[in-house]
Structure formats: C-alpha cells, structure tokens
C-alpha cells in the first residue's frame, strides 16, 4: 500500500508536468505535438515505466478472487505499441470493476464507480493518440487525460487502502460465534448453521475452513461461498503460496482435501 502511494505521488508529478507541457504544445497542432514529444521523450519513457509499475501494484493489491488478469500481464501489455490502444479498454475498466465488486460484496462504501472511471481514462488515452495532430483539441484532450488519471487512481488507491485495513483484521472470531451457536453445540449442528461473514475472499475461505475444523473439499467450498470454480482455484493457489493450506487425500476414498492451518 505504501509503495502504491509513493508511486502514485511520483507519477502524479511527472504526469502533471509532461501532460501540461504536451497540452501547451498540443494547441499548435501536429508540429507542436511533435516538438513537445521529442523534447519530453526521456520524461515520457520514465513516466510510462513508473505508470506501468503503479498499475501492477494496484492489480497486486486487489484480492485474487476479484482479479480477471494477472498483475504482471495487465501491466506489461500496456507497453506494447498499438495493441495497448485496445488493452487500455480491458485492463483499466477490469481493475476498477474488481475493486467495485470487492467493496460491494463486503458491504463497504464503493465511492465513485471505478469501472466507469477506468473506461473514461481509456477513452481519453486513445483520444489523445488520435488527435495529437489537431490544434487546440490536442491540448484539451491532454488535459483530460491528466484529470482521468487522477480520478481513476485516487479512487483505486483509496479502495486498496480500505481493503488492506480489512485484511489486517484476519480471522478473529471463534468457530461457534461464526456458526451462531454456543460452545456446547455439536460439530454437525454448527456446520449446518454456518453463516458467511463479511471480509475479503481469503478471509471468507479461511473462516469457512476454520468452521469445518481446518479441512475442506472443493464441493464444500462451492456450496458455502459464491465464488466461481476459477475464483476458488485462484484463491487456493494464493493460499498455497502463502502457506495457509496443503493438499492431501481422504484416507479411505482418496478424494482431494485441502487442509488449512487455522488452529
């Protein structure tokens, strides 16, 4: 989170300066834009690299269950010439949508609709590329790109801060509290009254595992959560990387079981 904020501040400064100068040159049409682009080329390259790293950092801060793209892929494809004119319409709205869904599913204030802001930002970037040769219009579009950048990433970083704070409150409730029962309730009775609690996808999975004494099957996860098969696989991969779970087999049937370290 701190890395994202630092990057954001640095990119804001560079983007503000370069976009402001480009907007001034843009009022003079193609030749003005060409001169501005040439003069600012080193800053544009540095700004692009930092912006890509910022985008990667934001994707990484989004819980795995809400990601539609791998962070590294989402960021690096922005550097591919021409293709990136299409990719901006995929990666920016998707990132915004992921944060919108994560906040909404955990009953948190979503703020401005980040998917819409991502689409607006993508449109502004493409418009800037297309209108670079048009006097006056080019300058106005460059200014719009700066505004769209600020609106989009301010909302995304605010959302990532809220989610990071929520993730810090990890699995604190005892099993019988989550089940809505008392300490003397039987295991079967507690399991039949499991109620999903607000939290990140990983928190929900760990709480479910705690409720089932640390061991889950894929069917149990599917029945007790709203996650798709792909989202569950992504969560399990993340849990394995973080050392939360190990894969085992049922001693009698051989069926796959996921054992979580939630004791």
């Amino acid at each position: 989170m701190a890395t994202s904020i630092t990057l954001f501040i640095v990119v804001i400064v560079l983007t503000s300066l370069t976009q402001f100068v480009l907007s001034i040159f843009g009022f003079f049409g193609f030749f003005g834009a060409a001169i501005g682009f040439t003069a600012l080329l080193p800053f544009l390259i540095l700004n692009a690299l930092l912006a890509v790293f910022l985008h990667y950092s934001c994707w990484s801060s989004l819980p795995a269950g809400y990601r539609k793209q791998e962070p590294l892929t989402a960021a690096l494809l922005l550097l591919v010439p021409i293709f990136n004119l299409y990719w901006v319409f995929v990666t920016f709205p998707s990132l915004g949508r992921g944060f919108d869904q994560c906040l909404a599913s955990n009953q948190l204030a979503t703020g401005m609709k980040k998917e819409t802001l991502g689409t607006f930002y993508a449109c502004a970037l493409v418009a800037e590329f297309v209108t670079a040769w048009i006097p006056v219009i080019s300058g106005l579009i460059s200014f719009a790109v700066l505004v769209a950048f600020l609106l989009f990433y301010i909302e995304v970083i605010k959302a990532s801060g809220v989610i990071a704070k929520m993730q810090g409150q990890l699995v604190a409730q005892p099993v019988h509290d989550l089940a809505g029962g008392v300490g003397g309730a039987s295991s079967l009775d507690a399991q039949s009254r499991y109620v999903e609690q607000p939290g990140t996808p990983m928190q929900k999975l760990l709480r479910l595992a705690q409720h089932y004494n640390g061991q889950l099957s894929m069917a149990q996860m599917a029945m007790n959560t709203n996650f798709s098969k792909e989202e569950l696989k992504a969560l399990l991969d993340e849990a394995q990387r973080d050392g939360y779970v190990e894969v085992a087999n049922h001693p009698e049937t051989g069926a796959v079981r996921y054992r979580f370290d939630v004791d």
Side-chain angles (χ1 to χ4, degrees):
M1 179 59 189
T3 301
S4 296
I5 294 176
T6 302
L7 271 173
F8 182 60
I9 293 172
V10 172
V11 175
I12 279 179
V13 174
L14 283 174
T15 301
S16 299
L17 290 174
T18 54
Q19 288 296 143
F20 177 74
V21 175
L22 282 175
S23 64
I24 297 300
F25 279 105
F27 281 97
F28 300 98
F30 176 80
F31 292 106
I35 293 171
F37 180 82
T38 303
L40 295 172
L41 185 58
F43 296 98
L44 289 172
I45 293 174
L46 177 60
N47 187 59
L49 293 175
L50 289 174
V52 165
F53 191 39
L54 172 65
H55 194 59
Y56 167 82
S57 179
C58 289
W59 267 109
S60 298
S61 67
L62 181 64
Y66 296 95
R67 293 180 198 161
K68 300 303 180 183
Q69 302 160 22
E70 285 298 316
L72 190 60
T73 301
L76 290 181
L77 287 179
L78 288 172
L79 295 175
V80 180
I82 305 302
F83 177 79
N84 54 13
L85 297 177
Y86 155 76
W87 188 245
V88 293
F89 286 101
V90 176
T91 189
F92 291 124
S94 294
L95 179 61
R97 187 186 314 119
F99 277 106
D100 286 335
Q101 291 174 343
C102 183
L103 293 172
S105 68
N106 290 287
Q107 302 175 0
L108 298 169
T110 57
M112 297 180 70
K113 193 168 178 61
K114 284 160 279 299
E115 180 179 4
T116 302
L117 292 176
T119 303
F120 174 53
Y121 184 36
C123 290
L125 287 170
V126 173
E128 182 180 41
F129 177 82
V130 173
T131 63
W133 59 279
I134 304 176
V136 182
I137 298 297
S138 176
L140 294 174
I141 294 297
S142 292
F143 180 73
V145 169
L146 176 59
V147 173
F149 168 82
L150 292 173
L151 288 174
F152 177 68
Y153 277 110
I154 284 174
E155 285 296 316
V156 164
I157 289 176
K158 280 168 56 180
S160 67
V162 172
I163 292 169
K165 182 178 179 180
M166 183 175 60
Q167 286 176 321
Q169 305 165 349
L170 192 61
V171 191
Q173 291 178 278
V175 175
H176 56 78
D177 287 345
L178 290 174
V182 294
S186 69
S187 174
L188 180 61
D189 182 55
Q191 289 175 7
S192 67
R193 289 183 283 109
Y194 175 77
V195 178
E196 186 177 77
Q197 302 294 307
T200 65
M202 185 59 72
Q203 284 178 309
K204 292 177 180 180
L205 185 62
L206 292 175
R207 286 169 178 161
L208 179 63
Q210 186 183 47
H211 184 75
Y212 281 95
N213 300 319
Q215 184 167 286
L216 290 173
S217 67
M218 185 63 79
Q220 285 173 316
M221 289 182 273
M223 286 189 299
N224 288 280
T225 69
N226 292 320
F227 300 130
S228 67
K229 183 179 179 181
E230 291 72 21
E231 289 170 335
L232 282 174
K233 287 184 176 180
L235 276 173
L236 288 170
D237 288 342
E238 182 182 356
Q240 285 182 282
R241 288 195 301 270
D242 292 340
Y244 296 157
V245 66
E246 63 178 11
V247 182
N249 296 96
H250 191 280
E252 297 178 2
T253 65
V256 174
R257 291 291 183 270
Y258 296 90
R259 292 177 180 169
F260 291 78
D261 184 15
V262 290
D263 294 333

